[in-house]
Every structure is written in structure tokens, then in C-alpha cells.
Amino acid sequence: MLTKIQVARLDDIDRLGSRTVMIEDKEVAIFRLSDGSVHAVENRCPHKGGKLSEGMVCGSAVHCPLHDWKINLHSGRVQEPDHGAVTVYETEVDEATGAIYISL
Ligand code: FES
């Protein structure tokens, strides 16, 4: 069964900003893109573990703060010519209350 966990509220995250939450034993980074959509991925770059929450959001990707790998926040995939992927978490926003949920 899918579990829904409230992780933040829309007001907590500026556009192009991020937040981190611990879910079970994983740190998850929640981003808000310029179109207002909310995306959540594992907060650990597949290269050398940089904290993606500290990276710059550009379009639908985040640039890792350590060596600038670009990670797509929709698919979790690293942009070529680099390789790898991070876990993507499904997010849901309750428009009425602004609550952000992650489904596990
Ligand atoms: S740790 Fe992210 S690009 Fe190297």
C-alpha cells in the first residue's frame, strides 16, 4: 500500500528553492521549479554524494554544487555525458491547503 507523508507546505519553498526532509533513513530534497511544480529526489548526487538541495535549479534540472552534474528532476537521470540516476519520489500538492505529500 502507498503511504502518503506530509513533508512541507508550498509556502515553505521559494520558487527555484529547496527543502530537505528525512524519510526513513534517506535524506530527500524537495524542489520547486519556476513553473511552480514540486519534485522530490534523493538528496545525494550519484557522482560523489553532493547535496543536490544546495545546487542551482535551472529549468527542470538541478546542478550538483560539487562538480556541476545536471540531474533531471522529473526522471532522476543524470544528463549526458555523465551517467547515473537518483531515486525520484512521487509528490502531490493539496491545492486547498498547500500541503506537499510524498508517496512511498
Ligand atoms: S558529487 Fe555531484 S557532480 Fe560530483
Side-chain angles (χ1 to χ4, degrees), residues 45-50 52 64-69 71:
C45 178
H47 181 215
K48 294 197 170 166
L52 299 178
C64 178
L66 293 192
H67 318 95
D68 205 38
W69 279 22
I71 290 125

Side-chain angles (χ1 to χ4, degrees), residues 74-85:
H74 292 277
S75 65
R77 296 180 65 87
V78 172
Q79 188 177 304
E80 303 273 343
D82 304 308
H83 298 282

Side-chain angles (χ1 to χ4, degrees), residues 2 4 13 16-17 22-23 30 46-47 63 67-68 74 81 84 99:
L2 226 55
K4 249 172 48 168
I13 313 177
L16 305 183
M22 285 303 292
I23 293 186
I30 305 163
H47 181 215
H63 294 215
H67 318 95
D68 205 38
H74 292 277

Side-chain angles (χ1 to χ4, degrees), residues 11-86:
D11 299 347
D12 296 334
I13 313 177
D14 295 330
R15 288 202 183 213
L16 305 183
S18 71
R19 271 273 160 144
T20 59
V21 290
M22 285 303 292
I23 293 186
E24 289 162 354
D25 57 348
K26 285 232 159 49
E27 192 168 82
V28 174
I30 305 163
F31 295 92
R32 221 172 143 194
L33 304 188
S34 55
D35 64 5
S37 64
V38 174
H39 299 270
V41 299
E42 185 185 351
N43 194 21
R44 193 171 188 287
C45 178
H47 181 215
K48 294 197 170 166
K51 284 195 182 287
L52 299 178
S53 57
E54 290 165 15
M56 203 174 68
V57 174
C58 191
S60 55
V62 60
H63 294 215
C64 178
L66 293 192
H67 318 95
D68 205 38
W69 279 22
K70 297 161 189 71
I71 290 125
N72 185 296
L73 293 171
H74 292 277
S75 65
R77 296 180 65 87
V78 172
Q79 188 177 304
E80 303 273 343
D82 304 308
H83 298 282
V86 293

